[in-house]
Amino acid sequence: MDLKHIIESQQFKVPRLMALFERANMMKKIVQRGGTLDYQNKILASLFYAPSTRTRFSFESAMYRLGGKILSTEQASEFSSEIKDERLEDTIKIIGNYCDVIVLRHIEEGGAKRAASVSSVPIINAGDGSGGQHPTQALLDLYTINNECHSIDGLSVAFIGALDNGRTTRSLAYLLSKFDRVKLYFIAPEELQIKNDILEHLNEHNISYEILNSTQNVLKNIDVLYMTRIDRARLKSKNINFDDFNVGPSVLKKLKKEALIMHPLPRSIEISPEVDLDPRAAYFRQAENGLYVRMALLTMLFENE
Amino acid sequence: MDLKHIIESQQFKVPRLMALFERANMMKKIVQRGGTLDYQNKILASLFYAPSTRTRFSFESAMYRLGGKILSTEQASEFSSEIKDERLEDTIKIIGNYCDVIVLRHIEEGGAKRAASVSSVPIINAGDGSGGQHPTQALLDLYTINNECHSIDGLSVAFIGALDNGRTTRSLAYLLSKFDRVKLYFIAPEELQIKNDILEHLNEHNISYEILNSTQNVLKNIDVLYMTRIDRARLKSKNINFDDFNVGPSVLKKLKKEALIMHPLPRSIEISPEVDLDPRAAYFRQAENGLYVRMALLTMLFENE
Amino acid sequence: MDLKHIIESQQFKVPRLMALFERANMMKKIVQRGGTLDYQNKILASLFYAPSTRTRFSFESAMYRLGGKILSTEQASEFSSEIKDERLEDTIKIIGNYCDVIVLRHIEEGGAKRAASVSSVPIINAGDGSGGQHPTQALLDLYTINNECHSIDGLSVAFIGALDNGRTTRSLAYLLSKFDRVKLYFIAPEELQIKNDILEHLNEHNISYEILNSTQNVLKNIDVLYMTRIDRARLKSKNINFDDFNVGPSVLKKLKKEALIMHPLPRSIEISPEVDLDPRAAYFRQAENGLYVRMALLTMLFENE
């Protein structure tokens, strides 16, 4: 039952999710009153094989707010000037000597699992390949939904964008499937739709879902509009009309008054800046929540030692 | 009257400058006796869209000497592997959740002002575009002048180099214009002379200045020789003779005994290494002072919270 | 007698080596019980002109475990966007204002010595050029040998690989030459053999050695098999058969039962992963020891202030 590594969102059952969210609330209070915790002797190492300053800073700030220290690499693919193809396993075994937890952003699906299999310290998957997972993103997404909608059971959540290689969509869909009466919508051009493994998982868990290629008829029904990045060049090369997959004033008009608009960020053109002023725009609050959820996760990992 | 962000040197009036310098003197004493301050729970984030290890380390060391912590990016232009054109405003809003102050080196003039307009935490402009400002450099320059010359009123200061896109020259000229009986010389090949906006500012403030293309006749008159980087390739492409714009033994001979030779560093060939041994060479002391001035600035920003 | 900088392994005489190893043992105990030391006000700056995350993290973790702080650069060659050819001496003089010790990985042989000649704070050479030294690597290598073999006198040590530009081999050979009845083997294709300056040093110190181009006949005699990286492309271009210079099951069979297999890491193909399970494979323990030896070295440097 112990939390040894954080590799994929399926690891988290509902009771642990609720314990995590409660702890994250506590972390929020500590940060807001300028406090800290007593993890002075703990070191977190950020091992990022692709740059993601946002995610890296979120983890590193979480470690600092706990009182700890950080070792950091912006671009681990230039790990050494001497050898370009070191086995990830070797790297992890060595770096484990120098820290108490490793946050890994890898470029290959399954990288985090491989790392965990040899690591002497906890591994946190901060994204592994475009078809892999990003479980802490899903956890902070779910925490945001839970805090703002007061419950997850019974919610309708629409995912919009390039869902075929949407790591965050995959991870969050796995988590949502653990709750009751949830309804999911996957809205994407056919060529970019969610992959079958997710749909099979939803079928197994009796989660109701719809596959759509336009937001037109569902905006009035949904509680959470989860936008993901759309690559303009990719859409263009496939001759896909972008207008059905972005959020602007016309979408705002059709959305429920209490709906949430979410996005893992960074955004491109799929949400126009004027949406930011709408109280339903939750994406910057989401980013803030990343701090508290990651603080809570780190303390859970450290408790198991 | 509060200091909320540090964007341009014009923000600083003489009383605040003097308060800053006094505080920087105090910081120097604390550092020299190996002490620290109690900002343990404060986090500074370095967001550098162009590398400048010198400036970055100066800020980060200042934060450490205050007892605080740092989040750091060497090359923020590779902020994300997923999107290359994120709006600076989005980045700032997100990073503001993870720290208590952001030090921003941006590539576009006006970047710092844009960042400040949306930021929840103080922004410090550590250089924005080649035609922008670098106010903390100007503050440490002025602090060095004030400490070594005991007063700024009545000084003659010569700026030498490629002044047309000299961020540090611009920022320091603004600051010097706040003092009495100051005389400025701008010495550069005609094609690289200081821009008109600065001269207009000096006219408005009744600051006396001269535009020259050689140091020949002024060396004996000046108290501060402020050298800036000269790009050899640029001079060569314009067929400009470099000899009039560098400092070597012959210039040393003509300079006043108590003059200061300053440079924001890094230098190229405009000051030969043998000048370093001359007590008038103040540029390494300048770099040291950067630490104390930045410590003092950070404490001023934190006081306003 | 004071240790002011760490530039080359020859600096260390046997009594200091033994004092260092004893102190490293103490550091190991402190780390293993989750403790720390009271160097809170000390700052280490990592100045890496070529990336080496492994070595950098080892030093930075050592500093953290002592209670200190770190300034870090992954890629100091992009030190400034304004000037590409700053003199190392200038950089060192400036950075010395912002920290208490500089760890320097430079790209030119002799870089560390040049840095030390102008530095106001201790310089630690973390590798200077492929023909230079990497003394802290040699110290942790020797510490590992001393701990696992209980003594260095009388040992037979074989170096295998591209020894001609093997920084670690050079540094360790210098150290071993300080001990009694040591026997060294240099095993490499003729074109990649150890350079004459090392052999002359060994001759002067009456150290017995052999130059070989195959491991065939010596495996049964040696106590330490020190593998170094082999560049496959280089071997191929020279038409050299790789099989004589790697470690796999057949070598394991011939090696003494209590022999050590060492490697500075990262490895390429010269040690197959299956060797890792053999208790004689000491390279990951070596990497761990780097932490304790570097902690001990840092405290020795700080004592001299």
Side-chain angles (χ1 to χ4, degrees):
Chain A
M1 289 303 297
D2 277 353
L3 193 60
K4 224 189 136 196
H5 302 284
I6 299 172
I7 305 303
E8 50 183 26
S9 58
Q10 298 96 304
Q11 287 179 263
F12 290 81
K13 300 223 165 66
V14 173
R16 175 165 280 159
L17 288 171
M18 291 304 138
L20 173 69
F21 294 169
E22 217 170 290
R23 195 179 287 211
N25 285 336
M26 212 169 69
M27 296 299 160
K28 186 172 181 175
K29 279 182 202 149
I30 291 170
V31 170
Q32 286 181 339
R33 64 166 193 255
T36 188
L37 280 97
D38 57 350
Y39 291 88
Q40 285 84 349
N41 293 350
K42 294 290 182 195
I43 301 174
L44 174 151
S46 294
L47 218 55
F48 276 62
Y49 283 81
S52 177
T53 308
R54 202 180 325 276
T55 301
R56 183 167 67 84
F57 274 16
S58 174
F59 273 109
E60 293 178 351
S61 181
M63 191 63 186
Y64 276 151
R65 296 297 187 203
L66 294 177
K69 300 172 195 314
I70 56 158
L71 296 173
S72 193
T73 170
E74 269 186 286
Q75 187 45 286
S77 63
E78 292 176 24
F79 206 80
S80 161
S81 54
E82 286 150 356
I83 177 172
K84 298 295 167 211
D85 57 348
E86 190 187 22
R87 293 169 68 233
L88 176 62
E89 285 83 353
D90 279 13
T91 304
I92 295 293
K93 279 192 214 170
I94 296 166
I95 300 305
N97 291 307
Y98 307 143
C99 64
D100 302 291
V101 59
I102 294 174
V103 176
L104 178 69
R105 161 75 55 109
H106 203 247
I107 43 178
E108 288 168 28
E109 205 178 315
K113 202 172 263 178
R114 278 170 55 206
S117 73
V118 299
S119 181
S120 61
V121 299
I123 299 289
I124 301 178
N125 182 2
D128 59 338
S130 59
Q133 285 216 14
H134 191 356
T136 64
Q137 176 70 46
L139 291 168
L140 74 90
D141 291 342
L142 196 69
Y143 172 73
T144 303
I145 296 173
N146 190 57
N147 268 18
E148 306 221 357
C149 303
H150 307 297
S151 166
I152 297 159
D153 294 330
L155 290 182
S156 293
V157 179
F159 293 94
I160 302 184
L163 305 180
D164 56 340
N165 51 19
R167 199 158 56 186
T168 52
T169 298
R170 299 172 62 80
S171 287
L172 184 53
Y174 276 122
L175 281 185
L176 287 169
S177 73
K178 296 171 189 291
F179 290 85
D180 292 335
R181 291 165 291 113
V182 161
K183 169 86 185 245
L184 306 185
Y185 299 90
F186 299 102
I187 306 172
E190 207 176 324
E191 302 90 322
L192 311 177
Q193 261 297 359
I194 190 84
K195 286 184 187 154
N196 266 328
D197 59 336
I198 297 292
L199 300 181
E200 283 162 21
H201 182 88
L202 297 177
N203 289 336
E204 278 170 33
H205 290 73
N206 293 313
I207 300 295
S208 162
Y209 62 83
E210 286 184 39
I211 304 292
L212 303 170
N213 58 20
S214 152
T215 56
Q216 284 311 105
N217 301 314
V218 295
L219 287 174
K220 61 185 184 305
N221 301 330
I222 60 177
D223 302 298
V224 177
L225 188 67
Y226 196 98
M227 302 296 298
T228 66
R229 236 172 335 271
I230 284 201
D231 183 336
R232 252 181 299 193
R234 204 170 161 219
L235 286 206
K236 216 173 166 186
S237 76
K238 292 181 181 276
N239 233 327
I240 294 170
N241 181 3
F242 177 75
D243 294 343
D244 272 354
F245 307 102
N246 67 2
V247 176
S250 72
V251 167
L252 287 182
K253 257 180 251 158
K254 293 181 201 147
L255 261 188
K256 277 192 200 175
K257 242 175 110 177
E258 65 279 19
L260 286 189
I261 304 166
M262 300 181 71
H263 193 296
L265 301 178
R267 66 175 150 185
S268 176
I269 47 166
E270 61 276 359
I271 302 181
S272 38
E274 53 197 310
V275 175
D276 299 2
L277 298 170
D278 193 293
R280 292 169 290 185
Y283 29 91
F284 290 115
R285 299 194 294 273
Q286 227 177 318
E288 181 191 344
N289 287 336
L291 179 67
Y292 314 130
V293 169
R294 284 167 177 138
M295 287 175 75
L297 284 169
L298 286 168
T299 62
M300 282 181 166
L301 289 170
F302 291 144
E303 269 165 18
N304 293 329
E305 289 181 355
Chain B
M1 289 302 298
D2 278 353
L3 194 59
K4 222 188 139 197
H5 302 283
I6 299 172
I7 305 302
E8 50 183 25
S9 59
Q10 298 96 305
Q11 286 178 263
F12 289 80
K13 301 223 164 66
V14 173
R16 173 164 282 159
L17 288 170
M18 291 304 138
L20 173 69
F21 295 168
E22 217 169 290
R23 195 178 288 211
N25 285 336
M26 212 168 69
M27 296 299 160
K28 186 173 181 174
K29 279 182 201 150
I30 291 170
V31 170
Q32 287 181 338
R33 63 166 194 257
T36 187
L37 280 98
D38 57 350
Y39 290 89
Q40 285 84 350
N41 293 350
K42 294 290 184 196
I43 301 174
L44 174 150
S46 294
L47 217 56
F48 276 62
Y49 283 81
S52 177
T53 308
R54 200 180 325 275
T55 301
R56 183 168 65 84
F57 274 16
S58 174
F59 274 109
E60 294 178 351
S61 182
M63 192 62 186
Y64 277 150
R65 296 296 187 204
L66 294 177
K69 299 170 194 317
I70 57 159
L71 296 174
S72 192
T73 170
E74 269 186 285
Q75 187 44 288
S77 65
E78 293 176 23
F79 205 80
S80 161
S81 54
E82 286 149 355
I83 178 172
K84 297 296 166 212
D85 56 348
E86 190 186 24
R87 293 169 69 231
L88 176 63
E89 285 82 353
D90 279 14
T91 304
I92 295 294
K93 279 191 215 171
I94 296 166
I95 301 304
N97 291 308
Y98 307 142
C99 64
D100 302 292
V101 59
I102 294 173
V103 176
L104 177 69
R105 161 76 54 110
H106 203 247
I107 43 177
E108 288 168 29
E109 204 178 315
K113 201 171 263 177
R114 276 170 55 207
S117 73
V118 298
S119 181
S120 60
V121 299
I123 298 290
I124 301 178
N125 182 2
D128 58 339
S130 58
Q133 285 216 13
H134 191 356
T136 64
Q137 176 70 46
L139 291 167
L140 75 89
D141 291 342
L142 197 69
Y143 172 73
T144 303
I145 296 173
N146 189 57
N147 267 18
E148 306 220 358
C149 304
H150 307 296
S151 164
I152 297 160
D153 294 330
L155 290 182
S156 293
V157 179
F159 293 94
I160 302 183
L163 304 180
D164 55 340
N165 50 20
R167 202 157 53 186
T168 53
T169 298
R170 298 173 62 80
S171 287
L172 184 53
Y174 276 121
L175 281 184
L176 287 169
S177 73
K178 296 170 189 292
F179 291 84
D180 292 335
R181 292 165 291 112
V182 161
K183 169 87 184 245
L184 306 185
Y185 298 90
F186 298 101
I187 306 171
E190 206 176 325
E191 301 90 323
L192 311 177
Q193 261 297 357
I194 191 86
K195 286 183 186 153
N196 265 328
D197 59 336
I198 297 291
L199 300 182
E200 283 163 21
H201 181 88
L202 297 177
N203 288 336
E204 279 169 34
H205 289 73
N206 292 313
I207 300 295
S208 163
Y209 63 84
E210 285 184 38
I211 305 291
L212 302 169
N213 58 21
S214 151
T215 56
Q216 284 312 105
N217 301 313
V218 295
L219 287 173
K220 61 185 185 305
N221 301 329
I222 61 178
D223 302 297
V224 177
L225 189 66
Y226 195 97
M227 302 296 297
T228 65
R229 233 172 337 271
I230 284 201
D231 182 336
R232 252 182 299 194
R234 202 169 163 219
L235 285 206
K236 216 172 167 188
S237 77
K238 291 180 181 278
N239 235 325
I240 294 169
N241 181 4
F242 177 75
D243 294 344
D244 273 355
F245 306 101
N246 67 1
V247 176
S250 72
V251 167
L252 288 181
K253 255 179 255 161
K254 293 181 201 148
L255 262 187
K256 277 192 199 174
K257 242 176 108 175
E258 65 279 19
L260 286 189
I261 304 166
M262 299 181 72
H263 194 295
L265 301 177
R267 66 174 150 185
S268 175
I269 46 167
E270 61 276 0
I271 301 180
S272 40
E274 53 197 309
V275 175
D276 299 2
L277 299 169
D278 193 294
R280 292 170 291 184
Y283 29 91
F284 290 116
R285 299 194 293 274
Q286 227 177 317
E288 181 191 345
N289 287 336
L291 179 67
Y292 314 130
V293 168
R294 283 166 178 141
M295 288 175 75
L297 285 169
L298 286 169
T299 62
M300 283 181 165
L301 290 171
F302 291 143
E303 269 165 17
N304 293 329
E305 290 180 355
Chain C
M1 290 301 297
D2 277 352
L3 193 60
K4 223 188 138 197
H5 302 284
I6 299 172
I7 306 303
E8 50 183 26
S9 58
Q10 299 94 305
Q11 287 178 263
F12 290 80
K13 300 223 165 65
V14 174
R16 173 164 281 160
L17 288 171
M18 292 303 139
L20 173 69
F21 295 168
E22 216 170 291
R23 195 177 289 210
N25 285 335
M26 211 168 69
M27 296 299 160
K28 186 172 179 175
K29 280 182 201 149
I30 291 170
V31 170
Q32 287 181 338
R33 63 166 193 258
T36 187
L37 281 97
D38 57 350
Y39 290 89
Q40 284 84 352
N41 293 350
K42 294 290 184 196
I43 301 174
L44 174 150
S46 294
L47 219 54
F48 277 61
Y49 284 82
S52 178
T53 308
R54 201 180 326 275
T55 301
R56 183 167 66 83
F57 273 16
S58 174
F59 274 109
E60 293 178 352
S61 181
M63 192 62 185
Y64 276 150
R65 296 296 188 203
L66 294 177
K69 300 172 196 312
I70 56 159
L71 295 174
S72 192
T73 170
E74 270 186 284
Q75 186 45 287
S77 64
E78 292 176 23
F79 206 80
S80 160
S81 54
E82 286 148 356
I83 178 172
K84 297 297 167 210
D85 57 346
E86 190 187 21
R87 294 168 68 232
L88 175 63
E89 286 82 353
D90 279 14
T91 304
I92 294 293
K93 279 193 214 169
I94 296 167
I95 301 303
N97 291 308
Y98 307 142
C99 63
D100 302 291
V101 59
I102 294 173
V103 176
L104 178 69
R105 160 76 54 109
H106 203 246
I107 42 178
E108 287 168 29
E109 205 178 314
K113 201 171 263 178
R114 278 169 55 207
S117 73
V118 299
S119 181
S120 61
V121 299
I123 299 288
I124 302 178
N125 182 1
D128 59 338
S130 58
Q133 285 217 13
H134 190 357
T136 64
Q137 176 70 45
L139 291 168
L140 74 90
D141 291 343
L142 196 69
Y143 172 72
T144 303
I145 296 173
N146 190 56
N147 268 18
E148 306 221 358
C149 303
H150 307 296
S151 165
I152 297 159
D153 294 331
L155 290 182
S156 294
V157 179
F159 293 94
I160 302 183
L163 304 180
D164 55 341
N165 51 19
R167 202 158 53 188
T168 53
T169 298
R170 298 174 62 81
S171 287
L172 183 53
Y174 276 121
L175 281 185
L176 288 168
S177 74
K178 296 171 189 290
F179 291 84
D180 291 336
R181 292 166 291 112
V182 161
K183 169 87 183 247
L184 306 185
Y185 298 90
F186 298 101
I187 305 171
E190 206 176 325
E191 301 91 322
L192 311 178
Q193 260 296 0
I194 190 85
K195 287 184 185 154
N196 265 328
D197 59 336
I198 297 291
L199 300 181
E200 282 162 21
H201 181 89
L202 296 177
N203 288 335
E204 278 169 35
H205 290 73
N206 293 313
I207 300 295
S208 162
Y209 63 83
E210 285 184 40
I211 305 291
L212 302 170
N213 58 21
S214 151
T215 56
Q216 284 312 105
N217 301 313
V218 295
L219 287 174
K220 61 185 186 305
N221 301 329
I222 60 178
D223 302 298
V224 177
L225 188 68
Y226 195 98
M227 301 297 298
T228 65
R229 235 174 333 273
I230 284 202
D231 183 336
R232 252 181 299 192
R234 206 170 160 218
L235 285 206
K236 216 173 166 187
S237 77
K238 291 181 181 277
N239 235 328
I240 294 169
N241 181 3
F242 176 74
D243 295 343
D244 272 355
F245 306 102
N246 68 2
V247 176
S250 72
V251 166
L252 288 182
K253 258 180 252 161
K254 293 181 202 147
L255 262 187
K256 277 192 200 174
K257 241 175 110 176
E258 66 279 18
L260 286 189
I261 304 166
M262 298 181 73
H263 194 296
L265 301 177
R267 65 174 151 186
S268 176
I269 46 166
E270 60 276 0
I271 302 181
S272 39
E274 53 198 310
V275 175
D276 300 2
L277 298 170
D278 193 292
R280 292 169 290 185
Y283 29 91
F284 290 115
R285 298 194 295 272
Q286 226 177 318
E288 182 191 345
N289 287 336
L291 179 67
Y292 314 130
V293 168
R294 284 167 178 140
M295 287 175 75
L297 284 169
L298 286 169
T299 61
M300 283 182 165
L301 289 171
F302 290 144
E303 268 164 19
N304 293 329
E305 290 181 353

